[in-house]
């Protein structure tokens, strides 16, 4: 069985319908890249992107720059912004409103189209310069642009986005250093706003995760042999450079450090602890602060923080996709398969998995509803009788601890 | 529909839990017939069908009476009976900007009390780039720029720059709502140019996927609302019963109109993208609001006047027959609709206005944040009505996934016709806060009876947020109660003024986190945290009806319903006697408990909490003779108080006020565990 679009849901019993459904695949999800002051989008809504294409340019060390007065497109200095005084006198508008002025203003507010494959400093910037200064507009300047050139010092060029204008003078968030953000996926740009965000509608299918950290990254999917559902950190060697590796039930801090050192692009696991996430965040910050940043590295945990093995249907799906290019996206947490057709494992409709509690990670079949049942601690919960696939006896589990797979 | 039904559904759509109840006219008055609760992932209609089927099986005669004749099939009843729906508003973030740190703190306090997640900065402390980063962040839903009513020099000189910064950010993010408080309202003209920019911003809809800002927005936004750029003046309106509402006067633009979230076929793929980060069954987000059909019933001859909010999950909302069927019946009262209005620039009072200081701004921000049928604010309104009906001072603690509420209402003045109410609604008081702070982790560890390091505590809290109903038994139940106590402790720490009030006559525990815990444990949690001397009754909102009943707009109608339902919806947990000043280390005295048919004498021991079995529905008189003078309302040695029974019995808490527990982790855990084991023996099973 394979999926090229969301398959229609199979009929299940009302009791089984009370079990939370876990969607294994989503189709054409929208992903987001957050930008901040000083960052600009290199794409426009409607643009098609492919993996590796620059979509944004970040300014990691953006600081406040007094840009000064900026000329409007017709060469005249822009009128200083007024303070909290009275509103415009509408009665004077007909005296100076002219068609060509309105047309020029309208064109100034419309963003000119940018080349999709733009690189910093090329055509888009020249086009951008012709627009009236507005918040978020890309600005490039240096000491000489601000008439502060000091003798004997090389001119430093900074770039960033305009922030706001007061008393006729513009402020910008700009810096010397810039980093290009490349799209890890193929898709269509849905929104692109300087200093705010770039959103892309992904072409293809994706597997949702619970937690993602690091940076969006891309590589070939490597599904090594797991020992008791775990992957030893020593298995992460240089031979896996460029891969997104399935790392078993839990990612350790040692595995993360080793994977980054081996130029592995990402790790996929059932769970990851908060301590490991903090270590990774600190490592990312150090990496960004260095002058020679390494390749993007991302990790995704499919279930949460508590240790749980990867669900067998998901592991089967990953095994079927082994060797193909996949991308880890952090917002929202997704493992993206660019292909539209994903091989799906065959599962009986009553196949369930325990997602929390003492039996977390175990899988089996739903037998029947057990009604309200008294569990440990004297807690009464809606319960179900299940049979785990490696047992002959039945077990009563709270329905709220179960999940079923929805493709 | 052949005849008018004599029942309706009350539904509380929480983030983690969906609670549903059937209310009907039985025996000449409105009664709670049945109620249930399930994870938010469970389909509402199937829940209601199961609930009605149970009612029909258990009492067929009453079921027929409710149906006013031969009962049709149950799915038809579920589709046609009216529903009062309250829903939890998802967490929203506001960026607070001020000229000075002093002003920022005041504004942040008001925003926090209004339930916002708050990030803040001031011009005297933070770089404009850092301030812009806060405002431009896509997670920020609104900006509060505030100053004193007459700004002093320290903030006045920064205001032009801040106003320009916020206006520029709003130009880049037209979906942003800007609140200008106090003296910052003088800079409204800076935002005048935004109207054009906002009207140009339209969500891009292509192939059924909404993109742009709306693609990640938690709230439904009708396209028309973007075109109505308007500035509103918000001022608090005080009612005689202590209730307050936001009175909005339109200064510029069209008056606010009702926006109705139409069902849209284009939401499927968008929902995919939004749900992508979590399994299907995870806590409900507000995008489900798109699946909500608001049916307004016009007043007509022979028909009750009102509007009903109908949530149709399984039925096809596009089917006119379905909608007509639902519109055929209505509630005899007006319920608030889930149609939030998003003004672009809102003028608000300064952070010192109102009584207590900041209350006016809190009301404005609350109205901006919450759905009109917000469940948490509904609880606060219901408590005010209940305080009037019962003529008692009442406090409610409601702890949920998206935040917590602490509300107090008490009758006041001659004849007790006026009810004074105050409440604080904190996002940080969630039992599983998103991105828990170090303080939140500390509070969980402090109340935990198990050994937890910081990372483990954070892992468990984050997992609890991902699957709020996960591991609801055993150790999971213990951790859930711990997290709830920690959340309540954060509420108390954030609201010292409310904590300084005298002990209320009735203390109510509400919220899903308490729903599955044993009643005695809930009573212990209340006793652990409400450390004020006095005597009170403890109850729980077992059916979770306060939220839905609170969305009824007419106060008198709500009071009438409360008068009918008070006995049904309050699940008695017991009574709490909490004296202050009991000397440690020896016998504290004696208590004689005289009931209608029995009497008992109990020796009181300092430093412990003693439980006396007193079942629900039983009343007794407790005569307490202390060895030394203690405070129990007054300072004396002999007291005689009336107490009521409950599922947890009578609790005589002779521990210190405030609670003093060892700072050493082992000793602290041992003390907490000993108290808990006394109230929760099943925990060791």
């Amino acid at each position: 069985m394979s999926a090229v679009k969301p398959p229609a849901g199979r009929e299940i019993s009302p009791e089984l319908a009370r079990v939370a459904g876990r969607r294994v695949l989503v189709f054409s999800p929208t992903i987001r890249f957050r930008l901040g002051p000083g960052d600009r989008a290199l794409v426009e809504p409607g643009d098609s992107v492919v993996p590796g294409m620059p979509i944004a340019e970040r300014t990691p060390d953006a600081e406040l720059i007094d840009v000064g007065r900026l000329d409007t497109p017709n060469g005249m200095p822009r009128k200083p912004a007024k303070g909290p005084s009275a509103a415009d006198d509408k009665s004077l508008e007909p005296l100076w409103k002219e068609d060509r002025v309105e047309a020029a203003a309208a064109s100034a507010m419309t963003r000119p189209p940018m080349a999709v494959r733009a690189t910093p400093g090329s055509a888009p910037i020249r086009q951008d310069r012709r627009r009236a200064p507005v918040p978020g507009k890309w600005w490039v300047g240096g000491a000489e642009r601000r008439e502060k050139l000091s003798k004997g010092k090389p001119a430093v060029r900074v770039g960033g986005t305009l922030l706001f204008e007061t008393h006729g003078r513009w402020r910008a968030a700009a810096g010397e250093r810039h980093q290009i953000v490349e799209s890890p996926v193929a898709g269509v740009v849905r929104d692109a706003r300087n200093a705010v965000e770039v959103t892309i509608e992904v072409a293809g299918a994706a597997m949702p995760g619970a937690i993602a950290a690091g940076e969006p990254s891309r590589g070939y999917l490597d599904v090594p042999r797991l020992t008791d559902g775990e992957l030893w950190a020593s298995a992460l060697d240089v031979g896996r450079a460029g891969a997104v590796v399935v790392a078993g039930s839990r990612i350790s801090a040692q595995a993360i450090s080793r994977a980054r050192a081996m130029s592995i692009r990402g790790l996929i696991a059932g769970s990851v602890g908060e301590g490991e996430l903090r270590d990774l965040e600190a490592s990312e910050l150090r990496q960004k602060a260095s002058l020679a940043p390494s390749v993007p590295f991302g990790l995704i945990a499919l279930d949460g923080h508590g240790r749980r093995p990867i669900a067998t249907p998901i592991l089967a799906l990953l095994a079927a996709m082994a060797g193909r290019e996949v991308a880890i996206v952090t917002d929202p947490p997704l493992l993206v398969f660019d292909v539209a057709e994903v091989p799906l494992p065959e599962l009986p409709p009553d196949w369930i998995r325990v997602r929390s509690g003492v039996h977390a990670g175990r899988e089996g079949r739903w037998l029947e509803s057990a009604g309200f049942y008294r569990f440990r601690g004297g807690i009464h919960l809606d319960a179900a009788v299940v049979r785990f696939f490696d047992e002959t006896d039945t077990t009563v589990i709270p329905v709220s601890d179960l999940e079923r797979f929805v493709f | 529909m052949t005849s008018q039904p004599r029942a309706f559904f009350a539904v509380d759509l929480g983030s983690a839990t969906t609670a549903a109840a059937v209310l009907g006219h039985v025996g000449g008055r409105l009664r709670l017939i049945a109620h249930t609760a399930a994870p938010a992932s469970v389909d509402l209609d199937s829940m209601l069908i199961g609930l009605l089927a149970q009612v029909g099986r258990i009492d067929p005669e009453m079921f027929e009476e409710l149906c006013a004749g031969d009962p049709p099939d149950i799915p038809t009843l579920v589709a046609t009976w009216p529903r009062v729906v309250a829903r939890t508003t998802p967490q929203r973030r506001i960026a607070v900007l001020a000229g000075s740190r002093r002003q920022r703190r005041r504004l942040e306090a008001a925003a926090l009390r209004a339930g916002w997640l708050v990030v803040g900065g001031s011009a005297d402390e933070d770089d404009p780039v850092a301030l812009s980063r806060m405002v431009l962040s896509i997670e920020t839903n609104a900006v509060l720029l505030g100053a004193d009513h007459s700004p002093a020099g320290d903030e006045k000189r920064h205001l032009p720059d801040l106003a320009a910064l916020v206006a520029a950010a709003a130009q880049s993010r037209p979906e942003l709502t800007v609140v200008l408080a106090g003296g910052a309202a003088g800079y409204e003209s800076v935002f005048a140019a935004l109207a054009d920019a906002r009207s140009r911003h339209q969500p891009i809809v292509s192939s059924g996927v909404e993109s742009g800002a709306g693609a990640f927005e938690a709230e439904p936004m009708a396209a028309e609302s973007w075109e109505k750029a308007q500035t509103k003046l918000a001022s608090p309106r005080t009612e005689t019963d202590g209730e307050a509402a936001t009175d909005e006067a339109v200064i510029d633009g069209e008056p606010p109109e009702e926006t109705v979230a139409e069902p849209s076929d284009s939401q499927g793929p968008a929902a995919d993208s939004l749900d992508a980060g979590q399994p299907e069954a995870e806590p409900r987000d507000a995008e489900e609001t798109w699946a909500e059909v608001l049916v307004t019933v016009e007043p007509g001859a022979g028909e009750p006047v009102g509007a009903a909010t109908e949530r149709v999950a399984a039925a096809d909302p596009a089917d006119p027959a379905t909608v007509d069927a639902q519109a055929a019946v209505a509630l005899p009262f007006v319920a608030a609709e889930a149609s939030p209005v998003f003004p672009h620039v809102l003028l608000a009072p300064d952070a010192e206005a109102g009584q207590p200081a900041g209350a006016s701004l809190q009301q404005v921000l609350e109205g901006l944040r919450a759905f009109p049928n917000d469940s948490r604010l509904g609880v606060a309104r219901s408590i005010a009505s209940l305080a009037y009906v019962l003529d008692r001072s009442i406090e409610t603690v409601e702890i949920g996934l998206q935040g917590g509420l602490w509300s107090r209402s008490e009758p006041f003045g001659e004849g007790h016709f006026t009810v004074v109410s105050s409440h604080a609604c904190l996002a940080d008081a969630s039992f599983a806060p998103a991105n828990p702070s170090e303080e939140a982790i500390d509070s969980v560890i402090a109340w935990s009876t198990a050994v937890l390091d910081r990372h483990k505590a954070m892992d468990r809290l984050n997992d609890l947020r991902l699957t709020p109903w996960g591991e609801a038994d055993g150790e999971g139940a213990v951790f859930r109660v711990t997290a709830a106590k920690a959340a309540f402790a954060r509420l108390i720490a954030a609201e010292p003024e409310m904590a300084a009030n005298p002990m209320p006559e009735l203390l109510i525990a509400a919220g899903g986190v308490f729903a599955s815990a044993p009643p005695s444990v809930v009573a212990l949690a209340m006793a652990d945290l409400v450390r004020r001397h006095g005597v009170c009754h403890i109850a729980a909102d077992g059916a979770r009806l306060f939220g839905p009943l609170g969305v009824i707009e007419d106060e008198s109608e709500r009071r009438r319903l409360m008068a009918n339902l008070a006995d049904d919806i309050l699940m008695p947990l017991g009574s709490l006697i909490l004296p202050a000043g009991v000397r440690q280390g020896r016998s504290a005295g004696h208590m004689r408990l005289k009931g209608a048919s029995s009497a008992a004498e109990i020796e009181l021991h300092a430093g412990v909490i003693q439980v006396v079995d007193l079942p629900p529905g039983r009343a007794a008189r407790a005569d307490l003779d202390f060895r030394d003078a203690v405070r129990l309302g007054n300072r004396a040695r002999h007291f005689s108080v009336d107490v009521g029974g409950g599922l947890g019995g009578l609790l005589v808490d002779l521990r210190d006020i405030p609670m003093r527990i060892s700072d050493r982790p082992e000793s602290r855990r041992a003390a907490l565990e000993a108290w808990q084991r006394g109230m929760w023996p099943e925990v060791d099973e």
Side-chain angles (χ1 to χ4, degrees):
Chain A
M1 186 172 68
S2 67
V4 292
K5 61 177 183 178
R10 280 181 287 188
E11 286 296 321
I12 54 173
S13 66
E15 288 84 14
L16 185 55
R18 291 175 71 86
V19 175
R22 172 175 178 172
R23 189 165 287 282
V24 178
L25 287 177
V26 292
F27 293 84
S28 303
T30 302
I31 64 170
R32 177 166 58 196
F33 296 84
R34 297 168 194 231
L35 305 181
D39 303 343
R40 68 163 167 169
L42 299 176
V43 288
E44 288 215 322
D47 287 350
S48 294
V49 294
V50 295
M53 182 177 286
I55 54 171
E57 184 175 9
R58 292 192 193 278
T59 308
D61 311 315
E63 56 184 23
L64 189 70
I65 302 288
D66 183 1
V67 173
R69 296 181 189 279
L70 288 178
D71 292 345
T72 50
N74 58 12
M76 298 296 289
R78 197 159 179 268
K79 207 174 172 182
K82 291 189 175 181
S85 56
D88 294 341
D89 188 353
K90 304 288 184 190
S91 62
L92 296 177
E93 281 184 4
L95 296 178
W96 54 267
K97 251 188 181 175
E98 293 178 17
D99 288 344
R100 60 186 177 83
V101 175
E102 287 183 356
S107 63
M109 297 306 294
T110 308
R111 190 171 176 178
M114 297 172 68
V116 172
R117 295 178 184 277
T119 54
S122 63
I125 294 174
R126 288 198 296 275
Q127 288 180 4
D128 210 30
R129 190 180 292 167
R130 287 199 288 273
R131 291 170 50 214
V134 291
K137 187 192 174 193
W138 183 251
W139 172 85
V140 178
E144 82 287 357
R145 292 284 305 271
R146 289 176 283 140
E147 299 171 356
K148 291 178 180 175
L149 190 62
S150 54
K151 290 181 180 177
K153 290 185 179 175
V156 176
R157 308 285 293 178
V158 294
T161 54
L162 294 178
L163 283 182
F164 59 93
E165 180 191 24
T166 50
H167 307 295
R169 300 182 69 84
W170 278 90
R171 308 283 195 281
E176 294 177 44
R177 210 153 57 90
H178 303 283
Q179 292 172 353
I180 294 293
V181 178
E182 295 177 348
S183 172
V185 297
V188 178
V189 177
R190 288 299 172 199
D191 193 17
R193 288 184 281 175
N194 283 1
V196 181
E197 65 171 352
V198 172
T199 57
I200 297 174
E201 184 187 335
V202 175
M207 180 187 291
I211 305 154
E215 290 185 352
S217 61
R218 186 180 178 83
Y220 71 91
L221 183 63
D222 187 0
V223 188
R225 183 181 295 276
L226 304 174
T227 309
D228 293 334
E230 305 269 355
L231 181 71
W232 291 90
S234 57
L236 299 170
D237 55 27
V238 74
R240 302 189 193 278
V244 172
V245 181
V246 178
S249 62
R250 194 173 175 90
I251 306 176
S252 66
Q254 186 191 3
I256 293 172
S257 303
R258 194 175 170 91
R260 298 194 71 189
M262 300 296 168
S263 293
I264 287 172
R265 294 301 180 91
L267 294 174
I268 303 166
S271 61
V272 62
E274 191 62 37
E276 284 74 25
L277 291 176
R278 289 191 171 196
D279 287 348
L280 177 62
E281 188 182 5
S283 174
E284 287 280 326
L285 288 175
R286 286 195 300 273
Q287 201 83 53
K288 284 178 182 171
S290 69
L291 292 175
S294 62
V295 293
F297 174 84
L299 67 82
I300 188 164
L302 299 172
D303 286 314
H305 296 275
R307 181 185 291 269
R308 272 156 290 192
I310 297 177
T312 51
I314 289 175
L315 205 54
L317 195 152
L318 292 174
M321 296 294 290
R324 304 176 83 155
E325 289 274 312
V326 295
I328 290 177
V329 175
T330 54
D331 190 7
L334 288 175
L335 180 69
V336 177
F337 312 107
D338 285 337
V339 292
E341 190 166 347
V342 179
L344 299 179
E346 290 282 357
L347 270 184
D350 56 355
W351 189 261
I352 49 90
R353 177 174 184 260
V354 185
R355 60 177 177 176
S356 48
V358 290
H359 297 286
R362 300 185 72 181
E363 295 176 36
R365 301 187 79 147
W366 166 284
L367 297 181
E368 60 180 342
S369 171
F372 268 83
Y373 194 86
R374 187 179 185 276
F375 287 95
R376 293 174 305 146
I379 307 292
H380 290 81
L381 296 167
D382 191 10
V385 181
V386 301
R387 177 177 289 125
F388 294 124
F389 74 95
D390 54 352
E391 283 186 2
T392 52
D393 293 340
T394 58
T395 310
V396 180
I397 302 281
V399 171
S400 54
D401 278 348
L402 298 177
E403 65 182 3
R404 59 190 165 84
F405 297 96
V406 179
F407 289 101
Chain B
M1 206 49 215
T2 55
S3 58
Q4 189 67 31
R6 297 166 56 80
F8 63 94
F9 296 112
V11 179
D12 187 345
L13 300 172
S15 300
T17 304
T18 297
V22 180
L23 303 173
H25 287 276
V26 177
R29 71 181 179 100
L30 195 65
R31 300 293 302 265
L32 170 63
I33 307 297
H35 67 91
T36 186
S41 58
V42 175
D43 177 56
L44 176 62
D45 280 4
S46 64
M47 269 178 75
L48 297 179
I49 288 170
L51 196 61
L52 282 189
Q54 272 187 323
V55 173
R57 275 198 304 271
I58 293 168
D59 196 338
E61 289 180 10
M62 184 179 67
F63 190 52
E64 281 186 22
E65 190 182 344
L66 291 176
C67 299
D70 290 337
D73 63 316
I74 288 177
T76 306
L77 287 178
V78 167
T80 53
W81 276 8
R83 302 177 189 183
V84 182
V85 180
R87 65 167 60 241
T88 303
T89 308
Q91 289 187 340
R92 304 183 74 206
R93 195 168 88 156
I94 193 167
V96 173
L97 270 58
S100 65
R101 181 170 59 174
R102 170 185 55 86
Q103 185 62 228
R104 173 178 64 83
R105 286 185 173 172
R106 287 180 189 166
L107 294 168
E108 282 179 353
L112 284 169
R113 283 174 62 94
W116 288 87
L117 292 171
V118 175
V119 288
S122 57
D124 62 349
E125 287 183 313
D126 298 295
D127 181 38
V129 176
L131 298 179
S132 291
R133 199 178 299 280
M134 287 176 201
V135 180
L136 289 170
S137 168
I138 206 71
E139 290 177 346
T140 300
N141 303 100
V143 183
L144 169 61
L145 173 61
D148 271 342
H149 185 66
S150 301
D154 62 337
E155 52 181 337
K156 193 173 183 180
R157 64 195 171 95
H158 294 299
L159 284 177
D161 281 0
L162 286 176
L165 185 150
V166 174
Q171 204 172 334
S172 296
R173 295 191 58 211
E175 71 274 17
L176 207 59
T177 299
V178 178
V179 182
L180 300 174
Y187 291 83
E188 183 205 345
S189 59
V190 177
F191 297 84
L194 289 178
D196 293 336
R198 288 176 191 279
S199 61
R200 276 196 301 274
H201 178 89
Q202 294 288 343
I204 302 159
V205 178
S206 174
S207 304
V209 177
E210 187 191 0
S211 71
F216 284 92
E217 280 295 333
E219 310 82 11
M221 290 193 183
E224 294 81 10
S225 65
W226 292 110
E227 296 171 358
K228 292 186 172 60
Q230 55 192 258
T231 301
K232 293 185 178 179
L233 177 66
S235 60
R237 185 179 67 208
T238 306
E239 296 176 3
T240 54
D241 58 0
E243 284 260 307
T246 301
D247 191 10
E248 295 173 334
V250 176
I251 289 177
D252 181 15
E254 298 284 328
E257 292 180 4
E258 287 183 354
T259 55
V260 177
E262 295 291 344
S264 168
D265 293 333
S266 66
Q267 295 310 304
D272 277 352
S273 69
L274 288 160
D275 287 338
Q278 291 179 340
E280 184 187 278
E282 298 319 334
R284 175 190 297 110
D285 278 327
E287 60 264 22
E288 282 192 21
T289 311
W290 285 100
E292 191 167 66
V293 181
L294 302 178
V295 182
T296 303
V297 182
E298 294 295 331
E303 273 187 9
V305 179
T309 301
E310 306 275 348
R311 183 172 180 277
V312 183
D316 180 11
D319 182 5
T322 306
V323 175
D324 285 345
Q326 287 160 352
V329 292
L331 297 166
F333 43 77
V334 179
E337 294 178 345
S339 53
V341 177
F342 297 96
H344 297 141
V345 179
L346 193 66
L347 306 185
D350 64 90
E352 290 295 294
Q355 183 62 38
S360 303
L361 181 58
Q362 179 194 344
Q363 287 168 16
V364 173
L365 295 176
E366 222 163 50
L368 181 65
R369 178 191 65 84
F371 291 140
N373 63 345
D374 179 67
S375 170
R376 200 151 282 136
L377 298 182
V379 171
R381 282 191 289 268
S382 290
I383 293 304
S385 303
L386 191 65
Y388 178 87
V389 168
L390 299 180
D391 193 18
R392 287 181 181 187
S393 59
I394 303 177
E395 275 189 26
T396 297
V397 181
E398 193 265 338
I399 304 292
L401 184 62
Q402 303 291 0
L405 170 83
W406 191 7
S407 170
R408 182 183 174 93
S409 297
E410 56 187 322
F412 178 77
E414 192 176 344
H416 284 194
F417 290 121
T418 305
V419 174
V420 178
S421 296
S422 61
H423 67 268
C425 196
L426 260 66
D428 190 43
S430 155
F431 66 86
N435 304 315
S437 62
E438 294 295 323
E439 291 76 21
I441 299 297
D442 284 341
S443 62
V444 171
I445 292 173
W447 284 105
S448 175
T449 54
V451 180
L452 285 177
D453 61 36
R454 303 184 71 78
H455 287 154
K456 194 172 179 183
M458 195 174 275
D459 284 351
R460 294 199 69 170
L461 268 187
N462 287 336
D463 273 345
L464 193 57
R465 187 164 188 87
L466 285 170
T467 52
W469 275 73
E471 200 180 2
D473 62 329
E475 289 176 13
V478 176
F479 183 76
R480 201 174 302 263
V481 171
T482 301
K485 281 185 183 179
F488 189 12
R490 292 196 292 277
L491 257 176
I492 291 170
E495 298 297 328
E497 288 178 1
M498 283 189 71
N501 283 316
M503 177 73 102
E505 293 167 84
L506 177 59
L507 186 60
I508 299 174
V513 73
F514 291 126
S516 61
S520 55
V521 178
V522 179
L524 176 64
M526 295 293 113
D528 279 347
L529 288 147
V530 182
R531 304 305 294 172
R532 286 171 268 169
H533 61 85
V535 180
C536 76
H537 295 276
I538 307 176
D541 177 20
R544 296 189 64 174
L545 275 174
F546 285 127
L549 295 180
V551 307
I552 297 169
E553 291 184 337
D554 184 13
E555 172 67 25
S556 58
E557 192 64 45
R558 197 163 58 234
R559 287 175 178 172
R560 191 178 65 78
L561 260 65
M562 283 293 171
N564 275 286
L565 292 167
D567 291 341
D568 291 346
I569 62 180
L570 286 176
M571 183 171 77
L573 299 182
S575 296
L576 173 65
I577 299 175
L578 187 53
V582 179
R583 290 196 181 175
Q584 302 292 315
R586 56 179 180 166
S587 171
H590 289 84
M591 180 179 75
R592 283 179 298 280
L593 194 65
K594 285 184 275 188
S597 58
S598 62
E601 181 147 345
I602 298 141
E603 186 171 354
L604 301 176
H605 300 282
V608 298
I609 182 164
Q610 292 176 258
V611 184
V612 182
D613 191 26
L614 191 62
R618 297 274 293 274
R621 172 162 286 268
D623 295 320
L624 298 120
D625 294 321
F626 290 97
R627 194 175 296 273
D628 303 303
V630 299
R631 277 176 292 142
L632 193 65
N634 304 317
R635 186 172 181 81
R637 289 177 59 191
H638 306 288
F639 297 91
S640 186
V641 294
D642 291 325
V643 292
L647 296 168
L650 169 63
L651 278 65
V652 185
D653 190 344
L654 301 173
R655 298 174 294 177
D656 293 323
I657 298 177
M659 181 99 81
R660 274 185 288 195
I661 317 178
S662 170
D663 288 335
R664 295 179 60 194
E666 296 84 7
S667 306
R668 186 181 176 89
R669 274 198 302 274
L672 290 172
E673 197 174 359
W675 293 328
Q676 182 176 274
R677 190 178 291 117
M679 304 292 286
W680 196 357
E682 304 94 340
V683 78
D684 292 328
E685 286 176 355

